[in-house]
Amino acid sequence: MIIGRLRGEIATVGTDSVMIDVNGVGYVALAGGRLLGKLQPGKEATLHIETRVTENSITLFAFESDEARAWFVRLQDVPGVAGKSAMAIMDALSPAELQDALALGDAASITRAKGVGKKLAERIVGELAGKAPPMGRFGAFRPHTEANGAAPEAAIATGTRSETISALVNLGYSQSDAARAVATAIREKPDADTGALIKASLKELAP
């Protein structure tokens, strides 16, 4: 059985894990400090889960979004990056921040993750820079909404990046050039919408 998502009441929050009660069954999942800090016992929550099955155990890893879960999986394609390091990176950087770091070759940002040194960070950049970001389990990401119907700020940020990169690629630019231009432009205009970001990115790409 592969668990992909859990929705229920938070039972307990530990230093590196959370227990969520789903219809009377308590599921324990490992999670990063940033997510754990947002969870409150007794409150409802939705956790996106990556399930790892070995001969001796079943381990659940919890994330705030399916995009973060997908990046957790993608990072482990890099030699030397195991689950612990991938979790630390996703705890230190949001999907949008990681995407920008890869596009700009910014290994220093990745070393913010606990236990990730310069050599490993540079290997991650070397292996993943220029590649399209990972997809969700069933294709494009569909960010969940908050109770008021608004999408989380992080989801809006990554959505704007992805839309802009896609537009630039459709104009004939390479994935890596488009991602680099968008990452540079968005640092100068962090609140730009897709239209404004496309214009700013095209200026970055101008000869």
Side-chain angles (χ1 to χ4, degrees), residues 2-5 48-51 61 66 69-70 73 135-141:
I2 302 299
I3 298 172
R5 187 177 68 176
H48 294 265
I49 302 295
E50 179 66 20
T51 304
F61 296 87
D66 189 45
R69 181 208 59 79
V73 175
M135 299 292 284
R137 292 187 188 277
F138 302 104
F141 295 109

Short mmCIF file of all heavy atoms in Angstrom, two decimals, residues 2-5 48-51 61 66 69-70 73 135-141:
data_model
loop_
_atom_site.label_atom_id
_atom_site.label_comp_id
_atom_site.label_asym_id
_atom_site.label_seq_id
_atom_site.Cartn_x
_atom_site.Cartn_y
_atom_site.Cartn_z
N ILE A 2 0.64 2.13 -0.97
CA ILE A 2 1.39 3.37 -1.06
C ILE A 2 0.47 4.52 -0.63
O ILE A 2 -0.59 4.73 -1.22
CB ILE A 2 1.89 3.63 -2.48
CG1 ILE A 2 2.77 2.47 -2.95
CG2 ILE A 2 2.65 4.95 -2.55
CD1 ILE A 2 4.01 2.25 -2.12
N ILE A 3 0.86 5.24 0.40
CA ILE A 3 0.09 6.37 0.90
C ILE A 3 0.59 7.64 0.22
O ILE A 3 1.78 7.94 0.25
CB ILE A 3 0.20 6.50 2.42
CG1 ILE A 3 -0.37 5.24 3.09
CG2 ILE A 3 -0.50 7.74 2.93
CD1 ILE A 3 -0.13 5.18 4.58
N GLY A 4 -0.32 8.40 -0.40
CA GLY A 4 0.08 9.62 -1.09
C GLY A 4 -0.34 10.89 -0.39
O GLY A 4 0.29 11.93 -0.55
N ARG A 5 -1.41 10.81 0.42
CA ARG A 5 -1.89 12.00 1.12
C ARG A 5 -2.70 11.56 2.32
O ARG A 5 -3.39 10.54 2.28
CB ARG A 5 -2.76 12.86 0.19
CG ARG A 5 -3.15 14.21 0.79
CD ARG A 5 -3.95 15.04 -0.18
NE ARG A 5 -5.26 14.47 -0.45
CZ ARG A 5 -6.19 15.04 -1.20
NH1 ARG A 5 -5.92 16.20 -1.80
NH2 ARG A 5 -7.35 14.48 -1.40
N HIS A 48 0.99 15.86 2.43
CA HIS A 48 1.35 15.12 1.23
C HIS A 48 2.47 14.15 1.61
O HIS A 48 3.46 14.55 2.23
CB HIS A 48 1.79 16.08 0.14
CG HIS A 48 0.67 16.96 -0.34
ND1 HIS A 48 -0.10 16.64 -1.43
CD2 HIS A 48 0.16 18.11 0.16
CE1 HIS A 48 -1.03 17.57 -1.59
NE2 HIS A 48 -0.89 18.48 -0.64
N ILE A 49 2.30 12.90 1.23
CA ILE A 49 3.15 11.83 1.76
C ILE A 49 3.95 11.14 0.66
O ILE A 49 3.44 10.84 -0.42
CB ILE A 49 2.28 10.77 2.47
CG1 ILE A 49 1.47 11.39 3.61
CG2 ILE A 49 3.15 9.63 2.98
CD1 ILE A 49 2.29 11.93 4.75
N GLU A 50 5.21 10.90 0.96
CA GLU A 50 6.05 10.01 0.15
C GLU A 50 6.29 8.76 0.99
O GLU A 50 6.79 8.84 2.12
CB GLU A 50 7.38 10.67 -0.21
CG GLU A 50 8.33 9.80 -1.02
CD GLU A 50 7.79 9.47 -2.42
OE1 GLU A 50 6.90 10.21 -2.92
OE2 GLU A 50 8.29 8.48 -3.00
N THR A 51 5.91 7.62 0.46
CA THR A 51 6.04 6.36 1.18
C THR A 51 7.26 5.60 0.70
O THR A 51 7.45 5.40 -0.51
CB THR A 51 4.79 5.47 0.96
OG1 THR A 51 3.63 6.20 1.36
CG2 THR A 51 4.87 4.20 1.78
N PHE A 61 7.16 10.11 4.74
CA PHE A 61 7.74 11.45 4.79
C PHE A 61 6.62 12.43 4.46
O PHE A 61 5.94 12.28 3.45
CB PHE A 61 8.87 11.61 3.78
CG PHE A 61 10.06 10.71 4.03
CD1 PHE A 61 10.10 9.42 3.52
CD2 PHE A 61 11.14 11.16 4.78
CE1 PHE A 61 11.19 8.60 3.74
CE2 PHE A 61 12.24 10.36 5.00
CZ PHE A 61 12.28 9.06 4.49
N ASP A 66 2.46 18.82 -2.67
CA ASP A 66 2.95 17.74 -3.53
C ASP A 66 4.19 18.19 -4.28
O ASP A 66 5.03 17.37 -4.65
CB ASP A 66 1.85 17.32 -4.51
CG ASP A 66 2.22 16.06 -5.28
OD1 ASP A 66 2.72 15.11 -4.64
OD2 ASP A 66 2.03 16.03 -6.51
N ARG A 69 7.10 17.46 -2.09
CA ARG A 69 7.31 16.00 -2.11
C ARG A 69 8.02 15.58 -3.40
O ARG A 69 8.95 14.77 -3.38
CB ARG A 69 5.96 15.29 -2.01
CG ARG A 69 6.06 13.76 -1.99
CD ARG A 69 4.82 13.12 -2.55
NE ARG A 69 4.55 13.52 -3.92
CZ ARG A 69 5.19 13.01 -4.97
NH1 ARG A 69 6.13 12.07 -4.82
NH2 ARG A 69 4.92 13.43 -6.18
N ALA A 70 7.61 16.17 -4.53
CA ALA A 70 8.22 15.81 -5.81
C ALA A 70 9.69 16.22 -5.86
O ALA A 70 10.54 15.49 -6.39
CB ALA A 70 7.44 16.48 -6.95
N VAL A 73 11.81 13.77 -3.97
CA VAL A 73 12.11 12.59 -4.79
C VAL A 73 13.18 12.90 -5.82
O VAL A 73 14.13 12.14 -6.01
CB VAL A 73 10.83 12.07 -5.48
CG1 VAL A 73 11.15 10.92 -6.42
CG2 VAL A 73 9.80 11.61 -4.44
N MET A 135 7.29 16.87 -11.93
CA MET A 135 5.84 16.97 -12.01
C MET A 135 5.21 16.32 -10.79
O MET A 135 5.87 15.60 -10.04
CB MET A 135 5.33 16.26 -13.27
CG MET A 135 5.87 16.83 -14.57
SD MET A 135 5.24 18.49 -14.90
CE MET A 135 3.58 18.10 -15.44
N GLY A 136 3.93 16.59 -10.59
CA GLY A 136 3.20 15.95 -9.50
C GLY A 136 2.92 14.50 -9.82
O GLY A 136 3.28 13.99 -10.88
N ARG A 137 2.25 13.83 -8.94
CA ARG A 137 1.95 12.41 -9.14
C ARG A 137 1.16 12.16 -10.41
O ARG A 137 1.33 11.15 -11.08
CB ARG A 137 1.17 11.87 -7.94
CG ARG A 137 1.95 11.80 -6.64
CD ARG A 137 1.15 11.10 -5.56
NE ARG A 137 1.79 11.17 -4.27
CZ ARG A 137 2.76 10.34 -3.87
NH1 ARG A 137 3.18 9.40 -4.67
NH2 ARG A 137 3.30 10.47 -2.66
N PHE A 138 0.27 13.07 -10.73
CA PHE A 138 -0.61 12.86 -11.88
C PHE A 138 -0.54 14.02 -12.86
O PHE A 138 -1.53 14.46 -13.42
CB PHE A 138 -2.05 12.64 -11.41
CG PHE A 138 -2.19 11.48 -10.47
CD1 PHE A 138 -2.34 11.69 -9.11
CD2 PHE A 138 -2.11 10.18 -10.93
CE1 PHE A 138 -2.45 10.62 -8.23
CE2 PHE A 138 -2.22 9.10 -10.06
CZ PHE A 138 -2.39 9.32 -8.71
N GLY A 139 0.68 14.54 -13.06
CA GLY A 139 0.86 15.62 -14.00
C GLY A 139 1.11 16.95 -13.32
O GLY A 139 1.81 17.01 -12.30
N ALA A 140 0.53 18.01 -13.87
CA ALA A 140 0.76 19.36 -13.34
C ALA A 140 0.25 19.47 -11.92
O ALA A 140 -0.70 18.81 -11.52
CB ALA A 140 0.07 20.39 -14.23
N PHE A 141 0.91 20.33 -11.14
CA PHE A 141 0.51 20.53 -9.76
C PHE A 141 -0.81 21.27 -9.69
O PHE A 141 -1.07 22.20 -10.46
CB PHE A 141 1.58 21.33 -9.00
CG PHE A 141 2.87 20.58 -8.87
CD1 PHE A 141 3.98 20.98 -9.59
CD2 PHE A 141 2.97 19.48 -8.04
CE1 PHE A 141 5.17 20.29 -9.48
CE2 PHE A 141 4.16 18.79 -7.93
CZ PHE A 141 5.26 19.20 -8.66
#
